[in-house]
Amino acid sequence: MHDKPPEGPAAADPTTDDTALGTLLAAAHQRCRQAFNSGLRAAGIETRHFAVLRGLAQHGPVSQRELIEMLDVDKSAMVRIIDELERQGLAERRRALHDRRAYAVRLTAEGEQRLAAVQEIAVPIGRELFGWLAPKDRERLVTTLRQLADKPAR
């Protein structure tokens, strides 16, 4: 029967077993996140804060809703992240000009300075994690990850 998933040693082969592939991707994600968190801890932030700071630097000021959509972060998690960034003086919420009921989130001057310092920490970490990839392999990885990220959930 070909309907059953592979058993034995083949069951752990991510080239043939979708579950093993998912587990491998989760392990790679965890390793990368740990490496970034470990390095960024010295600057008083984590990867999740860094992603929001970068998003604000590139697109801000923006509403929390826009940040949630851009970064694909859970609403309650985004509220916590922004609260934490505000407590550190790195970001602030202000009334949106176009909608007085909404708030726009923006980087503070201190947030811009911290982001610049964190970039200097993050670049060598990224280089260590991914710099060894040949350009074609990197391009293929990026394409595949974008396809996974863009695939609608069931």
Side-chain angles (χ1 to χ4, degrees):
M1 281 207 145
H2 296 289
D3 296 341
K4 288 175 52 177
E7 295 177 358
D13 181 0
T15 62
T16 59
D17 182 327
D18 293 339
T19 304
L21 179 57
T23 302
L24 177 61
L25 182 59
H29 169 263
Q30 185 65 20
R31 179 176 180 272
C32 293
R33 188 172 197 90
Q34 285 175 344
F36 277 106
N37 279 337
S38 177
L40 298 179
R41 198 168 291 121
I45 67 169
E46 297 175 1
T47 304
R48 60 199 178 104
H49 302 116
F50 182 53
V52 172
L53 291 173
R54 286 183 69 172
L56 289 172
Q58 292 173 336
H59 306 286
V62 295
S63 70
Q64 285 182 189
R65 180 179 306 249
E66 290 170 307
L67 276 173
I68 288 166
E69 290 173 12
M70 280 188 301
L71 301 174
D72 196 22
V73 174
D74 176 75
K75 179 181 177 182
S76 60
M78 182 60 74
V79 169
R80 282 191 307 275
I81 293 167
I82 294 171
D83 286 347
E84 291 164 358
L85 291 172
E86 277 191 312
R87 276 194 291 278
Q88 290 190 45
L90 305 178
E92 65 183 4
R93 293 175 178 99
R94 287 196 176 166
R95 290 276 182 202
L97 297 176
H98 63 280
D99 183 352
R100 300 298 291 165
R101 296 169 296 168
Y103 285 90
V105 183
R106 72 172 196 87
L107 282 179
T108 62
E110 186 175 341
E112 290 174 6
Q113 291 172 350
R114 180 85 60 91
L115 178 58
V118 169
Q119 290 276 47
E120 289 189 25
I121 295 169
V123 166
I125 296 169
R127 192 176 302 122
E128 181 181 324
L129 289 169
F130 308 112
W132 57 272
L133 287 168
K136 283 227 179 260
D137 291 336
R138 183 184 187 101
E139 185 178 324
R140 189 172 338 148
L141 176 62
V142 168
T143 299
T144 302
L145 290 174
R146 281 190 177 138
Q147 289 171 337
L148 282 170
D150 292 342
K151 185 169 177 37
R154 287 192 194 219

